[in-house]
Amino acid sequence: MMTVVGNNALICRPQLASCCASMKLGILKLQACNCKAKSLGFNITGTEVKTTFLAPVRKTETSRIVHINGKSASSHQPGYNSNDEISANDFSGFPGKSISLTSTNGNSTNIVWHKCSVEKSDRQELLQQRGCVIWITGLSGSGKSTVACALGRCLHARGKLSYILDGDNVRHGLNRDLSFAAEDRTENIRRIGEVAKLFVDAGVICIASLISPYREERDACRASLPEGDFIEVFMDVPLHVCETRDSKGLYKLARAGKIKGFTGIDDPYEPPLKAEIVLRQNQGLCDSPNDFADVVISYLDRNGYLKA
């Protein structure tokens, strides 16, 4: 029986006292244990066998090396091979034999991508759906959050797992340190995009609902995901309609000069150029949130997102 004690010491307690002797394991036969052990640095003393390292739990779970050189790089592709380097799988993680190479990504140095044997495809198979981001963008008051909630209810009713990243909700926690200045809005979008990417990798349908006024930042989120995993939904509601609604009273404050940098008033909104879905008014009257949600559900159905 083997247990872990202290600083990664592997302790083996033989069942029979007669197999205990002070010796080093070469490739030999233990008299009482009737077993063989390779020369792995074990020492037998009294009734214990100790070693200073733990062998890998599973050979399939290895650290994958990714060289990024300060830029984001795709690191979710299965397997790892290089013309110049040896795969970590070749050495099973034993000290002195694996090549410990690290990478740099932005300000993060000496990092290694660890590849797990349970991958995105396995999680999607379990959930019977395809992970994706439904990115709902539009002016304040255009109905983004309302449509997101309606969509979440529709997906839940169909037995599909989704999660909503609402712009205001995220600013209550993860992004509470960010203002509405242009540079902070850029960081706000980047963070939400990274969280959304994790949900996609988990096989979850992530509904991101936020103004996200700048086209460049939305396109950057799209580029960070595999093709087809980012679905842009544009709430095409005119400014005067949004301002008439003004459910939060923010347009009134912006017009009075009490809020600076408000999108649509003194800060620009850049509408999508190639959104997968555009939700707009029908003959001057807005459709219901459920009607808009049905449009998105139909798109997901047609394109195979609601099955593995």
Side-chain angles (χ1 to χ4, degrees):
M1 184 173 117
M2 294 188 179
T3 56
V4 177
V5 177
N7 297 325
N8 295 332
L10 187 66
I11 299 179
C12 174
R13 298 185 181 277
Q15 297 297 316
L16 298 176
S18 59
C19 70
C20 302
S22 295
M23 65 184 76
K24 286 192 174 181
L25 286 172
I27 299 180
L28 51 80
K29 184 174 183 180
L30 298 178
Q31 296 179 355
C33 295
N34 192 30
C35 62
K36 293 183 179 181
K38 294 183 179 180
S39 180
L40 298 175
F42 288 99
N43 287 314
I44 298 181
T45 304
T47 61
E48 296 182 346
V49 179
K50 296 184 178 181
T51 182
T52 57
F53 70 91
L54 291 175
V57 176
R58 296 184 66 179
K59 183 176 180 180
T60 57
E61 298 190 3
T62 59
S63 293
R64 175 182 171 192
I65 312 307
V66 184
H67 289 292
I68 305 177
N69 296 325
K71 297 182 179 180
S72 297
S74 173
S75 53
H76 58 268
Q77 298 299 324
Y80 174 71
N81 290 294
S82 169
N83 294 328
D84 303 318
E85 299 166 352
I86 301 176
S87 170
N89 285 334
D90 294 340
F91 297 115
S92 302
F94 290 110
K97 292 186 177 180
S98 61
I99 299 177
S100 179
L101 298 176
T102 59
S103 62
T104 297
N105 188 2
N107 293 327
S108 297
T109 59
N110 300 317
I111 57 175
V112 177
W113 183 270
H114 188 84
K115 189 178 187 303
C116 182
S117 57
V118 178
E119 297 184 334
K120 178 182 176 182
S121 58
D122 302 307
R123 293 184 283 271
Q124 292 184 144
E125 181 67 27
L126 181 67
L127 296 171
Q128 285 298 294
Q129 64 185 47
R130 282 174 55 194
C132 64
V133 178
I134 301 171
W135 193 282
I136 305 177
T137 177
L139 291 168
S140 177
S142 61
K144 300 179 301 298
S145 296
T146 305
V147 170
C149 289
L151 178 57
R153 285 195 303 271
C154 290
L155 288 169
H156 182 77
R158 295 188 55 161
K160 302 304 175 183
L161 184 61
S162 66
Y163 192 85
I164 298 172
L165 293 175
D166 182 84
D168 279 6
N169 291 358
V170 174
R171 283 183 176 272
H172 277 79
L174 176 65
N175 291 348
R176 64 184 177 186
D177 59 320
L178 300 178
S179 71
F180 286 90
E183 61 274 12
D184 278 359
R185 282 190 154 185
T186 297
E187 176 61 12
N188 178 60
I189 300 304
R190 189 196 69 81
R191 291 185 192 178
I192 293 176
E194 289 295 330
V195 174
K197 188 162 66 172
L198 294 175
F199 275 110
V200 172
D201 190 54
V204 175
I205 298 172
C206 179
I207 306 168
S209 168
L210 58 162
I211 295 173
S212 47
Y214 308 132
R215 192 176 298 125
E216 183 179 358
E217 276 70 51
R218 297 194 305 267
D219 289 346
C221 291
R222 179 190 293 273
S224 72
L225 290 161
E227 185 176 355
D229 282 3
F230 186 93
I231 303 166
E232 192 170 31
V233 179
F234 175 34
M235 299 295 299
D236 189 7
V237 180
L239 175 61
H240 73 272
V241 174
C242 295
E243 192 167 356
T244 300
R245 295 173 178 173
D246 201 13
S247 59
K248 303 176 185 177
L250 299 178
Y251 282 103
K252 184 177 180 180
L253 293 174
R255 290 295 187 187
K258 296 180 179 180
I259 297 179
K260 301 297 183 182
F262 192 78
T263 302
I265 303 301
D266 56 353
D267 200 67
Y269 176 80
E270 301 171 353
L273 299 178
K274 296 181 180 179
E276 281 76 9
I277 301 172
V278 177
L279 302 177
R280 58 171 58 95
Q281 291 178 317
N282 181 20
Q283 296 180 349
L285 298 174
C286 284
D287 295 335
S288 73
N290 287 334
D291 290 335
F292 283 150
D294 286 342
V295 172
V296 180
I297 291 288
S298 296
Y299 178 91
L300 297 176
D301 252 336
R302 289 195 309 272
N303 291 278
Y305 290 96
L306 302 184
K307 58 185 178 182

